[in-house]
């Protein structure tokens, strides 16, 4: 079939244009020729519209869209193939839902199976169809899932799905578009609108004032921040509030972003436990699981939750013990809170005393980090403190770090220095997403260097070939640093915790722990990148310098760093 008139592919692209979609991330499938034709027409005619990217793997497509959307705050579109593509991308879609990242996911199907004038291909009859439609596969993972049954309703269905994705709680939505719908003629409506962004909601003034009075009355309030970054407005608003009232900030357990500048005297590191006893007010900035076990809440503190959506429907069990909620846009809420405190006035002596205590605690945290790095330079093997110190010495200060390690993540996060909301990103939960997520970070921040810290076990879960070829095709060079302890160390640690005197530990006969030592770094060579295996401290800096030169030339690099220590999830 050869067509030159508008059809459903053009309807989808027009919807993307009017929603302000920047990129369409695709893992190609046989249902998308109508959309590809519309993209070709857009390029031929020089029209404004989203850029189309082939990623070669569903996880790459979804995680790139997730990272890009998280950083820019703008919803992106993902196109996958049939039900098979949805299943392949399901882990990343589920992670995007947990991170509340707005995203429009689409895939197709066929309805007629060659029994009409139109023949989509026998593959749809033989093995691609899904009983009840592919939306059944993703309904538990998305906010809303629907089929677009006709060309007449396709445009508005896509627009509605995009608007739903951006409403609180934000998250992925899904539209199934049959090939018969896409190939049907479509007439652009006489009146189309530019779809406005989702409105920013805010708490009422009385609730803001009530929390401001709690801060005024508190002797030692503490802020726990989980996802203030990468929104620069929220990051800056948190700094303004903390600095004005001298409120210390700790990072929430498992923080996905850089939330507060580490150079500030009010930054107290990633551990809230030391302060649970003394705090009399806990301010949770989008921190929905601030302590563990969940019942380990501070005993003598009021708890305030500040979030667009504090109660997470994706969590099976959640308890924050909050007595006050300020629900709305985080940046706007924090600014309103600071304005209320300025209006009401603060006790200057109390603020000064609190700041003095924070300075001491910050210096203690900073000294622990510095001492660990100083001690690492005297050892005959590479440790995480040495690795991170060397990376800081080699890489530009503005480098963005993406982390997909398990046992080393606490130390890695502790030894990265950032004063910017784009300094640190934690890959979404579910191993195998780090490389795609790092590509999305690089796409959103093209002028910055991006370093992916990844364990050897995590690296094996990633679609590395697809990630490297995508990086090469779209000029998104990454430096991947493999923290290689030749094992799934977390499996060993958990086994020993459950069986401290068990046979596996005594005999050193573990299952699910050992990883065969392979030359992972050589994967970079398929795209003409730099590869190195580093086993001694003396090899580390030259290898990282060569890797930096490689990514500066536009090619990706992999440095496989041998770490004899298993590491620990807890920060040093």
């Amino acid at each position: 079939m050869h067509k030159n008139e508008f059809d459903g592919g053009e309807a989808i692209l027009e919807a993307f244009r009017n929603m302000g979609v920047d990129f369409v991330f695709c893992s190609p499938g046989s249902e998308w020729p109508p959309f590809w034709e519309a993209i070709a027409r857009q390029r031929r005619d020089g029209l404004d519209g989203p850029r189309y990217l082939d990623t070669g793997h569903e996880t790459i497509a979804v995680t790139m869209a997730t990272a890009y959307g998280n950083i820019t705050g703008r919803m992106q579109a993902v196109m996958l193939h049939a039900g098979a593509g949805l299943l392949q991308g399901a882990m990343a879609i589920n992670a995007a839902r947990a991170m509340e990242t707005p995203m429009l996911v689409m895939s197709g199907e066929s309805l007629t199976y060659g029994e009409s004038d139109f023949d989509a291909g026998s593959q749809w009859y033989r093995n691609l169809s899904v009983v009840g439609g592919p939306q059944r596969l993703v309904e538990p993972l998305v906010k809303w899932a629907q089929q677009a049954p006709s060309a007449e309703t396709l445009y508005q269905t896509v627009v509605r799905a995009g608007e739903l994705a951006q409403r609180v709680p934000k998250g992925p939505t899904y539209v199934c578009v049959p090939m018969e719908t896409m190939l049907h003629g479509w007439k652009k409506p006489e009146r189309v609108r530019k779809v406005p962004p989702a409105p920013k909601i805010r708490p009422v003034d009385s609730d803001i004032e009530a929390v401001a009075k709690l801060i005024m009355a508190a002797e030692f309030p503490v802020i726990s921040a989980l996802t203030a970054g990468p929104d620069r407005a929220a990051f800056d608003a948190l700094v303004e509030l903390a600095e004005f009232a001298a409120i210390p900030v700790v990072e929430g357990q498992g923080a996905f972003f850089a939330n507060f500048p580490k150079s500030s005297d009010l930054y107290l590191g990633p551990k809230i436990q030391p302060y649970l006893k003394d705090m009399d007010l806990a301010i949770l900035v989008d921190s929905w699981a601030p302590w563990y076990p969940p019942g380990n809440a501070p005993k003598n503190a009021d708890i305030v939750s500040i979030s667009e959506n504090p109660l997470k429907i994706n969590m099976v069990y959640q308890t924050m013990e909050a007595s006050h909620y300020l629900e709305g846009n985080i940046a706007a809420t924090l600014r309103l809170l600071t304005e209320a405190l300025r209006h009401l006035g603060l006790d200057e002596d109390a603020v000064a005393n609190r700041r003095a205590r924070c300075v001491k605690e910050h210096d203690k945290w900073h000294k622990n980090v510095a001492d660990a790095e100083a001690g690492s330079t005297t050892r005959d093997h590479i440790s995480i403190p040495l690795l991170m110190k060397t990376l800081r010495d080699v890489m530009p200060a503005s480098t963005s770090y993406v982390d997909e390690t398990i046992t080393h993540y606490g130390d890695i996060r502790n030894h990265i220095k950032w004063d910017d909301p784009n300094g640190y990103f934690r890959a979404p939960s579910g191993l195998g997403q780090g490389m795609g997520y790092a590509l999305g970070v690089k796409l959103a921040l093209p002028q910055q260097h991006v370093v992916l810290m990844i364990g050897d076990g995590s690296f094996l879960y990633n679609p590395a070939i697809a990630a490297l070829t995508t990086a090469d095709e779209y000029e998104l060079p990454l430096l991947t640093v493999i923290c290689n302890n030749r094992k799934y160390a977390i499996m060993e640690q958990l086994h020993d915790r459950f069986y401290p005197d068990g046979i596996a530990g005594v005999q050193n006969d573990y299952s699910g722990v050992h990883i065969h030592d392979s030359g992972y770094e050589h994967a970079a060579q398929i795209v003409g990148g730099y590869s190195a295996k580093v086993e001694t401290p003396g090899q580390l800096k030259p290898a990282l310098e060569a890797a930096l030169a490689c990514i500066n030339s536009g090619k990706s690099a992999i440095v496989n760093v041998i770490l004899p220590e298993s590491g620990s999830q807890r920060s040093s």
Side-chain angles (χ1 to χ4, degrees):
M1 181 180 295
H2 179 74
K3 303 177 62 180
N4 288 312
E5 70 268 18
F6 282 3
D7 57 18
E10 187 69 35
I12 295 170
L13 184 55
E14 182 67 21
F16 289 171
R17 290 191 193 108
N18 292 326
M19 289 188 291
V21 170
D22 298 325
F23 290 95
V24 179
F25 301 89
C26 187
S27 179
S30 58
E31 66 264 53
W32 295 122
F35 183 78
W36 294 334
E37 185 70 12
I39 284 288
R41 184 183 299 112
Q42 174 179 276
R43 287 195 290 256
R44 183 199 67 185
D45 296 344
L47 299 176
D48 291 333
R51 183 183 175 192
Y52 173 87
L53 303 181
D54 275 328
T55 64
H57 194 282
E58 292 83 357
T59 300
I60 301 295
V62 179
T63 49
M64 285 185 72
T66 301
Y68 187 90
N70 284 340
I71 294 171
T72 64
R74 296 193 296 274
M75 182 197 70
Q76 302 305 306
V78 174
M79 287 182 158
L80 306 178
H81 176 43
L86 290 177
L87 292 173
Q88 187 83 299
M91 175 183 67
I93 294 171
N94 185 57
R97 178 72 184 277
M99 297 182 82
E100 298 185 15
T101 304
M103 180 188 302
L104 177 52
V105 180
M106 303 179 74
S107 74
E109 64 177 339
S110 177
L111 302 176
T112 53
Y113 309 113
E115 300 280 22
S116 69
D117 293 338
F118 168 69
D119 183 7
S122 64
Q123 73 273 21
W124 295 96
Y125 173 65
R126 288 183 286 108
N127 53 28
L128 287 181
S129 62
V130 177
V131 175
Q135 58 267 24
R136 289 189 64 198
L137 302 176
V138 292
E139 281 174 344
L141 310 179
V142 298
K143 285 181 60 179
W144 182 83
Q146 187 59 273
Q147 181 197 78
S150 70
E152 290 78 9
T153 60
L154 176 58
Y155 172 82
Q156 293 294 355
T157 297
V158 174
V159 169
R160 180 169 184 253
E163 290 194 287
L164 284 170
Q166 297 175 74
R167 291 309 195 270
V168 177
K170 300 172 184 176
T173 54
Y174 170 75
V175 177
C176 168
V177 190
M179 291 192 70
E180 291 82 350
T181 297
M182 277 192 281
L183 285 163
H184 193 282
W186 176 74
K187 183 179 180 181
K188 182 178 177 179
E190 292 183 4
R191 181 176 180 271
V192 294
R193 64 189 171 105
K194 292 295 182 183
V195 180
K200 292 180 171 62
I201 59 176
R202 52 150 291 182
V204 297
D205 290 339
S206 58
D207 289 344
I208 291 286
E209 184 175 350
V211 172
K213 288 180 178 178
L214 287 176
I215 294 174
M216 292 174 60
E219 182 176 341
F220 189 58
V222 175
I223 293 172
S224 171
L226 194 71
T227 62
D231 180 359
R232 188 172 295 275
F235 186 95
D236 292 344
L238 179 57
V239 172
E240 184 182 15
L241 172 64
E243 291 288 348
F244 179 72
I247 305 174
V249 178
V250 297
E251 291 182 275
Q253 188 171 8
F256 283 110
F257 309 111
N259 295 291
F260 196 76
K262 285 192 171 183
S263 62
S264 170
D265 290 334
L266 299 173
Y267 180 85
L268 301 190
K271 294 182 179 180
I272 199 171
Q273 289 82 357
Y275 309 108
L276 290 178
K277 182 178 179 182
D278 292 343
M279 71 172 65
D280 52 358
L281 178 64
I283 303 171
L284 312 181
V285 178
D286 210 24
S287 182
W288 56 85
W291 32 73
Y292 187 82
N296 193 34
K299 307 302 180 188
N300 302 307
D302 285 311
I303 299 172
V304 175
S305 176
I306 298 174
S307 175
E308 278 192 329
N309 177 44
L311 302 177
K312 308 300 183 184
I313 61 174
N314 63 291
M315 295 181 68
V316 175
Y317 180 72
Q318 180 192 20
T319 172
M320 294 181 293
E321 301 293 335
S323 56
H324 293 74
Y325 291 95
L326 296 181
E327 295 190 23
N329 177 264
I330 294 172
T333 301
L334 293 172
R335 286 195 298 266
L336 290 169
L337 199 50
T338 303
E339 290 172 9
L341 288 170
R342 285 199 175 99
H343 175 73
L344 294 170
L346 287 170
D347 184 328
E348 293 184 4
D349 289 339
V351 170
N353 290 337
R354 197 154 59 227
R355 186 177 294 275
R357 176 176 179 177
C358 289
V359 169
K360 292 180 181 178
E361 294 294 330
H362 174 81
D363 289 347
K364 185 190 304 181
W365 165 80
H366 188 270
K367 184 177 184 302
N368 287 338
V369 173
D371 287 349
E373 292 181 0
S376 70
T377 62
T378 64
R379 299 178 183 176
D380 60 359
H381 64 268
I382 300 171
S383 64
I384 290 296
L386 179 64
L387 173 58
M388 300 314 298
K389 179 183 183 302
T390 309
L391 272 167
R392 290 203 319 269
D393 291 342
V394 171
M395 300 300 299
S398 61
T399 297
S400 294
Y401 290 87
V402 179
D403 180 30
E404 193 179 29
T405 62
I406 300 298
T407 54
H408 293 297
Y409 92 84
D411 282 337
I412 287 173
R413 183 177 63 175
N414 223 16
H415 287 274
I416 297 172
K417 290 185 177 179
W418 66 70
D419 285 327
D420 182 277
N422 294 322
Y424 172 80
F425 300 91
R426 175 76 178 162
S429 297
L431 294 180
Q433 302 181 68
M435 297 186 81
Y437 199 81
L439 286 171
V441 172
K442 180 64 177 176
L443 185 67
L445 305 169
Q447 303 306 315
Q448 292 193 203
H449 294 78
V450 177
V451 175
L452 170 63
M453 309 297 301
I454 192 168
D456 51 327
S458 300
F459 184 79
L460 290 175
Y461 282 100
N462 274 260
I465 303 304
L468 288 164
T469 54
T470 299
D472 201 51
E473 179 176 0
Y474 297 113
E475 300 179 348
L476 303 171
L478 302 177
L479 168 54
T480 298
V481 178
I482 301 175
C483 301
N484 187 351
N485 54 19
R486 300 185 177 99
K487 64 174 69 175
Y488 294 105
I490 188 63
M491 307 301 183
E492 181 179 6
Q493 292 175 14
L494 290 173
H495 191 118
D496 290 345
R497 183 193 302 176
F498 301 144
Y499 297 93
D501 301 313
I503 297 170
V506 172
Q507 300 293 326
N508 193 27
D509 183 17
Y510 294 95
S511 298
V513 171
H514 172 71
I515 298 178
H516 179 67
D517 188 23
S518 299
Y520 310 117
E521 68 279 4
H522 296 301
Q525 295 176 12
I526 69 170
V527 292
Y530 173 77
S531 62
K533 184 175 185 178
V534 176
E535 300 184 84
T536 66
Q539 298 171 330
L540 184 58
K541 188 172 184 179
L544 293 177
E545 289 174 337
L548 174 60
C550 179
I551 62 174
N552 282 338
S553 74
K555 293 290 184 178
S556 293
I558 299 177
V559 179
N560 183 11
V561 181
I562 305 303
L563 299 169
E565 297 175 351
S566 293
S568 171
Q569 285 184 299
R570 294 181 173 84
S571 300
S572 61

